[in-house]
Amino acid sequence: MDVELKDTIIDANTGADAIQRAPIVDYNTGRKCLRIGDISNQRKYNEWGYTEVNEENYKKYKLEKEDILIARTGSTIGINTFIEKDYKSVYNNGLIRLRIDKSKYNSKFIYYVIQTNKFKNYINGIAFGTTGQPNMKINDLLKFKFCYIPLEIQNKIVKILDNLDKKIEFNSEINNNLHEYCKLLWKRTFSKEARKEKLEEVCIEIIRGYTKNYVEKSNIINFNQKANKGEKLEKQYFKYLSESQIIPENRFVRKNDILLNSLGQGTLGRVHLYRENYSNIVADQHITIIRTNNDIINSYYLYYLLITSEYQKELEGLVTGTTGMQMLNISSIRNLKIPIPSKFDLDFFESKVSCIQEKINSNNLENEILSQLREALLPKFMNGEITLDKIEG
C-alpha cells in the first residue's frame, strides 16, 4: 500500500522571512538561523549565523528534535537535514520543515525515505519544470508517494541504517582531526623563509582536464558544485558518445595529483590531493591537474601550501572573467610563486604526513562502501526484498 508524505506529518511550513523576521546579524544574540547554505555545506550548529527574532516568531519557527528540513528553492533544491536535538535556532523561508506524526511513523525513517533516488527524481520532476528559478511548493512536495511499512519495521530499518551513518560520521570526524593536525604540522615545519620559484619550474606537468566527450566506461571527476568549502569531489559515469575517441593519458587522474578547481563559480580555487589509485578516472575540464617534481617538492607540501589562507587569497587575486563565468588562467597558475623549503624539511613532513594520508584514504574508502551499502539496503527494505520480521528491534 502506498501512502503520501502528507499522511506522515502533523505540520509542514516554510521558515521565517530572512529580511523581516529572521535577519542574520554579526553579533551574538543567543539565537541562530538555519539556512540552505548551512545544509549544503554541512555546517555544524556553531557555524550557523546569529539572528534577531522576536519571541512570537522564535516559538513559531524554532527547530526541535527530529524535525526534517528540505530546501525548496535554488540550485540545491531538495537537499535536506535531520535535526538530532533541540536547538536555539529558527529556520528561514528557503526551507520547508516537516514535523512527523510519531504515533505512526519514525521521523528518522521518513528522513531516510527522502534520501532515496525515487524522492530525488520526484523533486526534479516538480521543481525543474520551467526555465525560471527552481521552486517547490509544499503541497506538491507532500504528494510524494512511497510504500507503507509498519512502525515496528520502520524502527528496525532506522536502527540498521543509523548505525551505518554513525560509523560514517565517526570516520569523517577522525579525518577532520587528522587533516587539522597535518595543517598544524605544515605550519610548524615550514615557518622559515625560503627562496621562491614559479610553480611550473617545480612541477612535471600543469594541465587542464579533459574537455571533449567521454568514452565508454570512463568516470569523470569534478568538484562538488553544491558545497562552498572543503575539498569534496564527485565521480560521475558517462556513456560513450564516440567509440573512436581516445582520452589523452595525462588527463587520467593519478595518485598524489593535485587538483585545482579553476573554472566556474562557488568552488573556484578549491584544492584536492587525490589519494586513490584508480586507472579510469578522468579530470573534468574545470580542473587543473598539477603534478609535482618530487626531486624539488612533493605533493603533500604543495597541497598544504595551497590551502593556507595566504595562498587561497593569492589564487583569488588571479581570478579573471565575468560574474557568470570566472576562471583561473592556467598561465597565471604556472607563474604562481611558491617557497622552496629544504630537502630535509620536505622529507620530514612527507614521512609524517604520508602515513596519515593513508589512514584518511582508508577511512574515505570505508565511508564510500558504507554509503553504497546504505543506499542499496533502503530500497530493498522498502520493496520487501529484505524482510525484517524475524529481527529483534
Side-chain angles (χ1 to χ4, degrees), residues 47-71:
E47 298 177 285
W48 302 356
Y50 288 106
T51 186
E52 282 280 7
V53 58
N54 64 35
E55 199 63 30
E56 180 184 355
N57 287 324
Y58 180 65
K59 290 179 180 178
K60 183 177 181 179
Y61 300 110
K62 186 178 184 299
L63 289 177
E64 296 182 5
K65 184 179 180 180
E66 299 188 18
D67 284 348
I68 297 171
L69 284 302
I70 305 173

Side-chain angles (χ1 to χ4, degrees), residues 197-209:
E197 300 282 358
K198 290 181 180 179
L199 186 58
E200 65 178 352
E201 293 174 358
V202 298
C203 290
I204 296 172
E205 197 166 35
I206 302 175
I207 54 169
R208 283 270 194 251

Side-chain angles (χ1 to χ4, degrees), residues 208 222-223 225 259-272 284 286-288 328:
R208 283 270 194 251
N222 54 36
F223 281 88
Q225 299 298 319
L259 308 178
L260 172 64
N261 192 34
S262 46
L263 187 65
Q265 288 182 297
T267 57
L268 196 64
R270 186 181 298 167
V271 187
H272 181 86
D284 174 85
H286 290 66
I287 288 174
T288 297
L328 283 166

Side-chain angles (χ1 to χ4, degrees), residues 2 9 33 38 49-50 87 101 114-115 159 164 178 186 190 199 201-202 214 221 231 263 281 307 322 338 350 393:
D2 279 350
I9 65 169
C33 182
D38 298 320
Y50 288 106
Y87 285 122
D101 181 355
I114 65 175
Q115 307 309 305
K159 186 174 181 180
L164 294 176
L178 291 175
W186 188 94
F190 303 110
L199 186 58
E201 293 174 358
V202 298
Y214 308 109
I221 193 166
E231 51 164 48
L263 187 65
I281 303 294
I307 65 172
T322 63
I338 65 163
E350 183 176 22

Side-chain angles (χ1 to χ4, degrees), residues 246-275:
I246 298 174
I247 300 177
E249 185 179 348
N250 61 357
R251 263 63 173 188
F252 285 89
V253 182
R254 306 166 191 169
K255 187 174 182 178
N256 290 332
D257 279 352
I258 290 175
L259 308 178
L260 172 64
N261 192 34
S262 46
L263 187 65
Q265 288 182 297
T267 57
L268 196 64
R270 186 181 298 167
V271 187
H272 181 86
L273 174 60
Y274 197 72
R275 308 178 186 104

Side-chain angles (χ1 to χ4, degrees), residues 21-38:
R21 294 184 177 182
I24 297 296
V25 296
D26 59 2
Y27 50 90
N28 188 344
T29 63
R31 294 173 176 177
K32 297 195 171 189
C33 182
L34 177 67
R35 295 170 290 174
I36 292 177
D38 298 320

Side-chain angles (χ1 to χ4, degrees), residues 350-361:
E350 183 176 22
S351 68
K352 297 291 185 182
V353 172
S354 58
C355 296
I356 297 173
Q357 295 293 164
E358 289 304 320
K359 177 58 179 174
I360 291 174
N361 188 41

